[in-house]
Amino acid sequence: LRVGGSGTYTDDDDSEYRWVSLDMFVGSDTVRPGLFVDVGLRGFLGRVKEPGVSGDLGAIGFGVMAGYLFSRDVMPIPLEVFSGITWAPSPLSFRDTESFFQTDVGLGLRVIRNASIFASYTYYRIEMESGPINWTLNDNVLRAGLMLRF
């Protein structure tokens, strides 16, 4: 069982959004040493603004994550690669949100057994129903941070 959370904030010229997410995933790394595959749910709550429109974000999405930690026999440094997708269709989207889609791909450097410094690319597509028109936020984001595992 993996339980986690994160916060996202951006304020560029065109878009401004902020939300928190809570994750609950289950999975296994017993198929092959170093390989993990998790499935679960991810909840989002926040606010999204584009020029002339804004709306409240709320969604519970299905998620799949996979990654691989290269062994020291293959790589001299503890490098990991990971990827994931999250999709919240209309029935699981609420507030002003019609649907939510997110995909990630990244690299991590395992500094200790339960912590990694990572860099990733994330794509968001959020369809909103607020204001006079329906609108969509599409954004590409480069992220970096620290991932802790307990």
Side-chain angles (χ1 to χ4, degrees):
L1 179 66
R2 185 176 69 81
V3 177
S6 65
T8 301
Y9 175 81
T10 189
D11 184 5
D12 350 359
D13 295 335
D14 297 331
S15 303
E16 178 183 333
Y17 53 85
R18 60 184 176 276
W19 61 73
V20 295
S21 69
L22 296 174
D23 312 340
M24 188 166 62
F25 284 81
V26 296
S28 176
D29 59 357
T30 60
V31 175
R32 177 166 167 76
L35 175 68
F36 76 88
V37 178
D38 295 343
V39 295
L41 297 173
R42 179 175 279 163
F44 298 90
L45 198 60
R47 184 124 177 98
V48 180
K49 292 182 185 177
E50 287 274 285
V53 291
S54 67
D56 295 320
L57 171 68
I60 299 172
F62 300 107
V64 176
M65 298 179 66
Y68 186 75
L69 174 63
F70 292 96
S71 70
R72 292 210 184 258
D73 299 335
V74 176
M75 288 283 224
I77 58 173
L79 185 69
E80 59 187 331
V81 295
F82 58 89
S83 182
I85 61 171
T86 302
W87 175 57
S90 183
L92 296 176
S93 300
F94 48 95
R95 301 179 87 190
D96 296 325
T97 311
E98 180 61 26
S99 69
F100 183 96
F101 178 78
Q102 171 185 333
T103 184
D104 300 289
V105 64
L107 292 172
L109 177 64
R110 223 20 108 88
V111 291
I112 59 174
R113 182 179 172 193
N114 294 333
S116 299
I117 296 171
F118 74 91
S120 69
Y121 163 79
T122 303
Y123 168 75
Y124 298 109
R125 179 179 173 83
I126 306 168
E127 295 179 4
M128 304 292 288
E129 288 185 342
S130 65
I133 59 169
N134 293 346
W135 54 281
T136 302
L137 170 73
N138 288 300
D139 206 3
N140 300 289
V141 180
L142 295 176
R143 303 184 322 165
L146 179 65
M147 187 181 312
L148 301 174
R149 298 169 189 84
F150 299 100

